[in-house]
Amino acid sequence: MLKSKKQSKKSKKHSKKQDKQATPTINLKEKLAQKRKAAKAKKELTSLLSTAISGGVFLGMILFFAVGIKLALPGFAGVIVLTLSYKYPRQALFAFIVYVPFGGTIIYLLGNSPILQLAKDAFYIPAAIALYQKCKKQKMPFLLPQGIKVPFFILLGLCLITLLFVNGLQQINPPPPPNLFDPPPKEMPFGMGILGLKVFLGYFPLITCAYYLIRNKRDFLLISRLQIIMILICCVLGFVQYMLLVVGICEGTRNAVGDDLFKATLNARCFIGGSLVFSPSQGMIRLPGTFVAPWQWAWFLISSTFFTFATGFNDPSIIWRIISLVSLLTVFLNAVISGQRIALALVPACFILLLILTGQIKRLKAFLPLFLLIVLVGFGAIASNPAVVQERLDSFISRWNASPPYEFITQQFEESWHFLEKDGEYLGKGLGRATNSARVLGKTQLIETYYPKIIYEIGPLGAIGFLIFATSLTIICFRTYRSVKNRNFRGYGAALWVFILFISYNTYYYPLDVDPVAVYYWFFAGVLLKLPEIDKMERLKEEQNQEVENKQKKGKGRVKESQVNLNI
């Protein structure tokens, strides 16, 4: 018995020595494999960069001699960005999301070239193509969520019918000019249609991009916190812009004459962003923040309310919750000073709506001290500038009384229907015909509300098709977030669902046509759809950790029992 015990002890010691000898060799092999992998990746990057730079130089030289330096430099940079975005789609999508809120500032810093208006798509389109090819290769679904397929194809079919039978016929057989002796207008109706379709549904694949971009909880927290950092930076820059105008470092439009006092102009540009109006003597202030136009800044502030709320109430880290709530305060502050009436109305309204629909009003006690502190700071800022706040409120009330939103929206619906009924064009006037960015390709109609714009472009059937599509997405997102068990993920999903619900049925102006809402709507729908999978992964990890802890406890219990038996 004693010999067998000694042999077993020797064998255990021998096995431990073997394990100790084996682990360093395994670690060494792993390190060598990682080094080889890193060297290979570095070599690929170097080779790719040299090819991209050569191609960029070639294209840049052609553009330089053909057009000039204004398009040569963007062409050179575009080739490099397109190549790298295709090769590294994950990094490209992160760059895309970072670029969106700063795009307006970058465009004007680099000379306001027409190519720069499409700069963000140089990150998005190659990344989407690379992701599609990867999905096809690995036999993964690209069109997500699965329940949206039928509504999407119905809507796409209606759009293609309008593109072929309305835009196509306008291209082949252009309508005669209003006056007999006038030259026919120089238009590209089919090109307008393609651009209109790109604006309408071009960012829909962002749902899939966001879904596959986020692999785990770490990626999800990175995206949510990155968004908060960008909101905070943009809002601080917006406040600096306002102060530069108030102090007089930037002139704005205060010395303009007549109607120019009330028009946003690029000549009044200050520090960041694009066109602005700053005529305090007339009570007329419209600031663009980091964006091209003031109303884009307003919708950035409105959408930021949802993201700062989501992270502020649901991030697992107290530090990030505080940062998010501070960001929310800066959003409120910019809504007041920007001069945008819609931001002043909707930012607090969306905050209250979020509190009610997400159920966070029940948890408000946990955040009460911090929330009260932020409210006091906000009221302090308002109290120190009562004239500014009063001016904004008076402007909002006067605008509401002059043209109430419900009357304005009703009027836009009537006008759109009248345009179609007059000419009997029930398939619509053509894609892109009411899209602001398509005006360079032909005549466009200014329609300032979203669903009347859709009716004008693709007819009543197209508008119904989009309504069904948006409703399907909203219902799927609701069911998805309700299936999440983790409280933090569920709370974040609820806030994103309220954002999707709000934008899906909002018809005041057309935020889904331009940055940043045109990007955030689709991208964060993909983020929401990924939450159940992340939730399952985290619960599985917790179960595995619990099993390990239980085994360790059982092991300790057995050791204690054996000790007791020996003592006995």
Side-chain angles (χ1 to χ4, degrees):
M1 284 291 287
L2 287 167
K3 281 182 182 181
S4 62
K5 281 181 183 178
K6 282 177 184 180
Q7 283 175 357
S8 64
K9 282 178 183 178
K10 282 178 183 178
S11 63
K12 280 178 184 177
K13 283 178 183 178
H14 185 65
S15 64
K16 281 179 184 177
K17 281 179 183 178
Q18 282 182 336
D19 290 339
K20 283 178 183 178
Q21 286 172 356
T23 49
T25 55
I26 291 165
N27 291 335
L28 186 65
K29 282 179 183 178
E30 285 177 357
K31 284 177 182 177
L32 288 168
Q34 285 172 1
K35 281 182 180 179
R36 282 196 297 271
K37 195 177 179 181
K40 188 182 176 183
K42 193 177 179 181
K43 190 179 177 181
E44 282 180 2
L45 178 61
T46 309
S47 174
L48 190 71
L49 269 175
S50 60
T51 308
I53 289 167
S54 303
V57 168
F58 179 72
L59 180 64
M61 285 175 70
I62 293 169
L63 289 171
F64 176 74
F65 289 115
V67 186
I69 193 72
K70 199 172 182 180
L71 287 178
L73 286 174
F76 167 72
V79 171
I80 296 169
V81 172
L82 286 165
T83 308
L84 292 174
S85 297
Y86 180 77
K87 179 66 178 175
Y88 306 104
R90 277 183 59 78
Q91 289 81 353
L93 288 170
F94 277 111
F96 173 71
I97 289 297
V98 171
Y99 181 87
V100 166
F102 302 106
T105 301
I106 293 166
I107 284 167
Y108 293 115
L109 281 174
L110 298 179
N112 192 20
S113 169
I115 289 180
L116 290 171
Q117 301 284 347
L118 304 171
K120 69 178 186 300
D121 293 332
F123 296 108
Y124 159 62
I125 293 171
I129 292 167
L131 185 63
Y132 171 75
Q133 289 177 340
K134 190 177 178 181
C135 288
K136 196 175 179 182
K137 190 178 178 181
Q138 297 182 5
K139 295 182 179 178
M140 296 188 297
F142 182 76
L143 191 61
L144 294 171
Q146 293 294 312
I148 207 81
K149 275 186 178 181
V150 174
F152 172 73
F153 284 122
I154 289 169
L155 178 61
L156 184 63
L158 290 166
C159 289
L160 291 174
I161 288 167
T162 300
L163 180 66
L164 292 172
F165 293 102
V166 179
N167 293 85
L169 288 174
Q170 288 171 2
Q171 185 73 49
I172 297 164
N173 186 25
N179 297 319
L180 186 63
F181 298 104
D182 287 347
K186 293 179 180 179
E187 289 189 333
M188 290 180 63
F190 199 76
M192 285 183 78
I194 291 167
L195 184 56
L197 184 60
K198 183 262 175 189
V199 170
F200 188 41
L201 290 173
Y203 291 114
F204 170 67
L206 274 174
I207 294 178
T208 307
C209 292
Y211 185 87
Y212 289 120
L213 177 67
I214 296 170
R215 299 166 300 186
N216 47 40
K217 182 182 176 182
R218 186 172 170 271
D219 287 346
F220 167 72
L221 291 175
L222 177 62
I223 283 286
S224 60
R225 290 167 181 178
L226 182 64
Q227 187 66 17
I228 296 304
I229 290 165
M230 290 187 294
I231 290 166
L232 188 58
I233 292 168
C234 288
C235 287
V236 169
L237 290 172
F239 181 73
V240 171
Q241 183 185 59
Y242 174 74
M243 291 308 298
L244 290 172
L245 287 159
V246 169
V247 172
I249 295 171
C250 293
E251 188 179 310
T253 55
R254 52 161 59 91
N255 295 321
V257 181
D259 291 342
D260 291 338
L261 283 163
F262 303 93
K263 289 179 181 177
T265 173
L266 198 57
N267 294 327
R269 184 180 178 272
C270 176
F271 181 49
I272 53 169
S275 305
L276 62 82
V277 183
F278 189 81
S279 306
S281 60
Q282 305 298 318
M284 185 69 180
I285 297 171
R286 300 288 183 271
L287 304 185
T290 56
F291 286 83
V292 171
W295 77 272
Q296 284 178 287
W297 178 238
W299 280 99
F300 173 76
L301 296 173
I302 293 161
S303 59
S304 295
T305 309
F306 294 90
F307 306 135
T308 50
F309 181 95
T311 308
F313 281 86
N314 300 291
D315 197 281
S317 167
I318 183 83
I319 294 166
W320 280 102
R321 287 203 295 272
I322 293 166
I323 293 168
S324 300
L325 292 173
V326 170
S327 300
L328 181 60
L329 177 63
T330 62
V331 169
F332 272 88
L333 181 65
N334 275 273
V336 174
I337 65 173
S338 68
Q340 290 293 314
R341 290 181 289 257
I342 194 165
L344 184 64
L346 290 183
V347 166
C350 288
F351 179 75
I352 293 164
L353 187 72
L354 281 162
L355 280 174
I356 296 165
L357 292 183
T358 62
Q360 294 292 354
I361 199 162
K362 296 174 185 176
R363 293 179 61 203
L364 206 58
K365 289 180 182 178
F367 297 91
L368 202 58
L370 183 63
F371 188 71
L372 285 173
L373 179 65
I374 291 170
V375 168
L376 286 170
V377 172
F379 275 114
I382 291 167
S384 60
N385 296 280
V388 174
V389 178
Q390 189 61 46
E391 188 183 333
R392 300 296 181 275
L393 289 171
D394 291 343
S395 174
F396 175 76
I397 292 163
S398 63
R399 173 66 178 172
W400 184 283
N401 292 332
S403 178
Y406 57 88
E407 285 185 8
F408 177 64
I409 292 166
T410 306
Q411 183 189 349
Q412 293 270 292
F413 270 110
E414 287 173 356
E415 285 179 3
S416 294
W417 182 251
H418 173 71
F419 282 126
L420 299 182
E421 198 174 29
K422 185 177 70 174
D423 299 323
E425 296 173 330
Y426 295 106
L427 287 174
K429 288 282 186 178
L431 279 160
R433 283 292 180 185
T435 302
N436 195 34
S437 57
R439 66 185 184 275
V440 293
L441 298 173
K443 187 183 176 183
T444 58
Q445 178 71 34
L446 178 63
I447 297 175
E448 296 181 84
T449 49
Y450 193 63
Y451 278 95
K453 172 195 169 290
I454 296 173
I455 290 171
Y456 184 85
E457 286 196 354
I458 55 175
L461 278 176
I464 292 166
F466 180 78
L467 187 63
I468 292 166
F469 172 71
T471 303
S472 302
L473 181 62
T474 306
I475 291 167
I476 289 165
C477 287
F478 175 76
R479 288 174 178 169
T480 301
Y481 106 77
R482 294 292 293 176
S483 67
V484 176
K485 306 296 180 186
N486 182 283
R487 191 176 70 174
N488 291 333
F489 293 149
R490 190 185 179 96
Y492 199 98
L496 291 184
W497 173 74
V498 177
F499 172 65
I500 290 158
L501 174 73
F502 174 68
I503 298 298
S504 294
Y505 300 107
N506 168 69
T507 193
Y508 197 69
Y509 287 107
Y510 39 91
L512 264 176
D513 263 16
V514 290
D515 298 339
V517 176
V519 170
Y520 292 159
Y521 178 77
W522 305 109
F523 185 85
F524 283 97
V527 172
L528 193 159
L529 292 168
K530 189 72 174 186
L531 287 176
E533 197 172 318
I534 299 168
D535 182 40
K536 283 177 186 175
M537 287 165 65
E538 289 303 308
R539 279 190 284 129
L540 188 65
K541 278 183 185 177
E542 284 176 11
E543 286 172 8
Q544 286 172 349
N545 291 335
Q546 192 66 40
E547 283 177 11
V548 170
E549 284 177 12
N550 291 338
K551 283 177 182 178
Q552 286 175 350
K553 284 177 183 178
K554 284 178 182 177
K556 286 177 183 178
R558 284 172 185 171
V559 169
K560 285 179 182 178
E561 281 175 14
S562 63
Q563 285 175 353
V564 170
N565 290 333
L566 284 167
N567 289 332
I568 287 167

